[in-house]
Amino acid sequence: MNNQISAVPTARVVQTYSEGSKKLMWGCAVSVLTFWLFAESIGAAAPAMIKNINTADRYWLNQDTLNVAISLTALFVGIFIIIMGNLGDRIGHVRITLGGLIANTLGSAMILAAHGSFALPLIGTGRALQGIATACIMPATMALISENWSGKARAKAISIWAIAAWGGGSLSALFGGSIATMIGWRWLLVASIVVSAIAFSLFHGTPETSTPHAGEKFDWIGMILLVVGVASLMIGAFLGFLNGWLKPLCLAILIFGILALTALGIWERRVKYPFLDLSIFRNRAFTGVTVSNFFLNASVGMVLVSQQLIVLAGCKAQRMGDLCPIGKNYTAWDASLIAIGYAVFVMSFIRIGEKLLPTFGPRKLMLWGTASAALACGMLMLTHVLVSAYVVLAAIAYSLYGLGLALYATPSMYTALDNLPREHVGLGSGIYKMGSAVGAAIGSAVSLTLFSDLSVTKTSVLGNVIQLEGAQQNIDLRQAATLALTSDLIFLLLAALVLFVTLPRPLSRYTDPEAYVRFD
């Protein structure tokens, strides 16, 4: 198949696919849920885990150490996702997916068994295994979709996958908190193991994909440089957010990571069979949607900042100048309920984006989605209003943000997969999803760091321009939130700019409903 796409509509390239079954489609979607719904929900269950594992006279866990252990999943995803995507191209995507499901089962079982002095080591190791599992499952299932479906059928498979990923992620905090409160946090791990088994069974009978790299010499040096470079950058970033960016250890690790990735780029241009084939970035469409996807996911900090603002500065019954009565402040649970529209709109409109794809093409849908997210960010920046009005604005904004992500999801992933050569579909999928994960991590950290730092800085920048209504003792928090949310708006504007530059406007519209707009 010629995966390069042209700037003008041409005759549709004929490609023979072994059309995948519904069982395989749902197998891919259920596999993705093991991370986005179950592994991600552990963060919301952290308070219940501490209360359950600690005893009256012995404290085995505290919030800081548990947060570090929980964050290992994201760290290991970032380190290994490109590697596992590449290995899937070499040894088969079904094998890598099944290996990921086994790793998730083992990791979940270790966390489930956490108790006493073994609690922290078991949770840390289990979360690392869940990260490796996700690094296996995400690019491998994307590659399976690319290899088993084409045209409208591929768009449908991508939509189901995206509903599991984006929808599961949007529900994870609410889901984790509810399960931990009502029946206990360990049931999250039991459910994760059961879901892994169901996904494993759905892959039964699926033929292994071809391995076009068979016989090539494996580039061990390239793989090692990639692992060292990515790991150093992610660990350095983690230390920067935790202890400050100007600490000598943090700077040394970041510089070491940059040097390792620079050496990787030089090395990969010299070897015949590179581990990280940089030629895939020559395709403007793939590079464009990957970078745009990075910036779009970086805007997720708007949800976190606005929810923290509601919890820290909001009061359900407050008069001008009064302190908030005890028990009348907004809780994290209240903030989660306000954001329910985000999850509802993501899951409801992803299939709509799929249906609109043949008519409008990916460029328009992705720009519309980005514009909807930018409008949501603008609404959340209106922190000068009364809290009662802000809560309503936030509920509408979260729904618009969910709508934007839903319109963006299928066209973006479809364009990325459609522009990857078949021999590198796993590698490219890993790069694409790493952009999502790293973008969300960096964007959240930037927004929350700005909010935290500016909230303790006496500033009246906005107060000199806009009259802040209601109680005045929370002005610093409200101004800090507006300024922090500005970074999310910048990320969204950059996402739109990248789309404008890399995906030129098509000259005419396809009449064939099976054909999608292609770019070069």
Side-chain angles (χ1 to χ4, degrees):
M1 173 183 171
N2 178 14
N3 281 292
Q4 304 297 318
I5 47 179
S6 57
V8 295
T10 59
R12 184 168 179 80
V13 178
V14 177
Q15 169 66 42
T16 301
Y17 288 84
S18 55
E19 292 293 340
S21 64
K22 287 185 178 180
K23 190 173 74 167
L24 175 60
M25 182 188 299
W26 287 107
C28 292
V30 174
S31 299
V32 168
L33 279 177
T34 59
F35 172 72
W36 287 106
L37 185 59
F38 295 101
E40 284 284 88
S41 64
I42 292 296
M49 295 172 70
I50 293 174
K51 183 178 180 180
N52 177 255
I53 291 174
N54 290 336
T55 60
D57 56 341
R58 297 298 299 271
Y59 290 86
W60 309 105
L61 291 176
N62 60 52
Q63 191 67 51
D64 291 335
T65 57
L66 183 57
N67 284 341
V68 171
I70 288 174
S71 67
L72 289 178
T73 295
L75 177 64
F76 275 73
V77 171
I79 293 173
F80 287 101
I81 193 167
I82 295 179
I83 295 170
M84 293 305 175
N86 193 319
L87 290 178
D89 290 333
R90 296 171 183 274
I91 67 175
H93 301 296
V94 175
R95 293 188 184 96
I96 290 292
T97 302
L98 296 179
L101 292 171
I102 292 172
N104 182 71
T105 300
L106 293 175
S108 299
M110 295 182 75
I111 302 171
L112 179 63
H115 69 284
S117 59
F118 295 100
L120 188 60
L122 284 171
I123 293 173
T125 305
R127 291 294 291 178
L129 281 172
Q130 287 184 326
I132 294 174
T134 304
C136 292
I137 291 170
M138 298 279 277
T141 51
M142 285 180 64
L144 286 171
I145 289 174
S146 177
E147 293 182 337
N148 286 279
W149 288 277
S150 63
K152 187 156 55 175
R154 178 187 289 178
K156 178 180 178 181
I158 289 173
S159 293
I160 299 299
W161 190 99
I163 289 173
W166 298 66
S170 64
L171 286 173
S172 61
L174 188 61
F175 177 78
S178 301
I179 297 298
T181 301
M182 293 187 292
I183 60 176
W185 66 271
R186 295 184 193 271
W187 285 101
L188 290 170
L189 287 312
V190 174
S192 182
I193 293 171
V194 172
V195 168
S196 295
I198 293 172
F200 199 98
S201 67
L202 289 171
F203 280 97
H204 179 71
T206 301
E208 186 53 89
T209 54
S210 60
T211 53
H213 296 272
E216 294 182 1
K217 184 178 179 180
F218 191 80
D219 179 19
W220 289 102
I221 294 177
M223 187 186 76
I224 292 171
L225 286 173
L226 178 64
V227 171
V228 171
V230 174
S232 298
L233 289 181
M234 296 201 69
I235 292 172
F238 178 77
L239 292 176
F241 299 140
L242 195 64
N243 300 319
W245 292 93
L246 298 180
K247 299 290 184 181
L249 178 61
C250 174
L251 291 174
I253 293 175
L254 289 173
I255 292 172
F256 184 71
I258 293 172
L259 292 175
L261 292 180
T262 302
L264 172 68
I266 296 172
W267 172 260
E268 298 295 63
R269 286 182 173 88
R270 295 182 176 181
V271 296
K272 185 176 181 180
Y273 301 115
F275 184 83
L276 180 61
D277 192 338
L278 301 177
S279 65
I280 65 174
F281 292 108
R282 295 173 186 167
N283 186 288
R284 284 201 311 163
F286 171 76
T287 303
V289 295
T290 300
V291 175
S292 173
N293 188 45
F294 168 88
F295 285 125
L296 186 79
N297 279 274
S299 69
V300 75
M302 74 167 77
V303 177
L304 303 177
V305 169
S306 58
Q307 287 191 320
Q308 286 199 11
L309 175 65
I310 291 172
V311 172
L312 295 174
C315 183
K316 300 176 184 178
Q318 185 177 19
R319 293 175 297 179
M320 180 74 73
D322 291 343
L323 295 176
C324 188
I326 296 176
K328 292 298 183 181
N329 58 301
Y330 282 90
T331 65
W333 177 254
D334 294 325
S336 297
L337 291 178
I338 294 169
I340 195 66
Y342 167 53
V344 171
F345 273 68
V346 165
M347 292 186 291
S348 300
F349 282 89
I350 281 180
R351 293 300 309 272
I352 302 298
E354 170 207 330
K355 300 298 183 183
L356 295 176
L357 184 56
T359 303
F360 296 101
R363 182 178 187 270
K364 283 186 177 180
L365 288 176
M366 284 188 280
L367 287 172
W368 292 346
T370 306
S372 180
L375 177 60
C377 188
M379 294 177 68
L380 292 174
M381 292 172 67
L382 302 177
T383 61
H384 65 284
V385 301
L386 295 173
V387 67
S388 56
Y390 189 79
V391 167
V392 175
L393 285 174
I396 298 172
Y398 294 146
S399 299
L400 285 173
Y401 188 55
L403 173 63
L405 297 183
L407 292 177
Y408 184 95
T410 300
S412 174
M413 188 169 161
Y414 189 99
T415 304
L417 291 177
D418 210 38
N419 284 273
L420 287 170
R422 191 161 190 175
E423 65 271 18
H424 292 312
V425 66
L427 170 64
S429 298
I431 293 171
Y432 176 84
K433 290 311 298 180
M434 183 179 179
S436 302
V438 174
I442 291 178
S444 299
V446 168
S447 300
L448 291 173
T449 300
L450 287 173
F451 178 59
S452 177
D453 291 347
L454 293 173
S455 63
V456 296
T457 302
K458 298 298 181 181
T459 177
S460 58
V461 174
L462 297 180
N464 294 332
V465 180
I466 303 173
Q467 177 62 43
L468 276 70
E469 302 176 6
Q472 301 296 296
Q473 65 266 21
N474 57 19
I475 283 181
D476 292 335
L477 283 169
R478 295 158 72 183
Q479 292 190 126
T482 299
L483 295 173
L485 288 165
T486 303
S487 67
D488 298 300
L489 185 59
I490 292 173
F491 286 136
L492 290 167
L493 294 176
L494 289 173
L497 178 62
V498 169
L499 292 174
F500 269 113
V501 172
T502 59
L503 302 183
R505 186 186 301 275
L507 300 181
S508 62
R509 189 176 299 170
Y510 280 110
T511 56
D512 177 7
E514 286 288 329
Y516 292 84
V517 178
R518 295 174 176 262
F519 308 96
D520 186 12

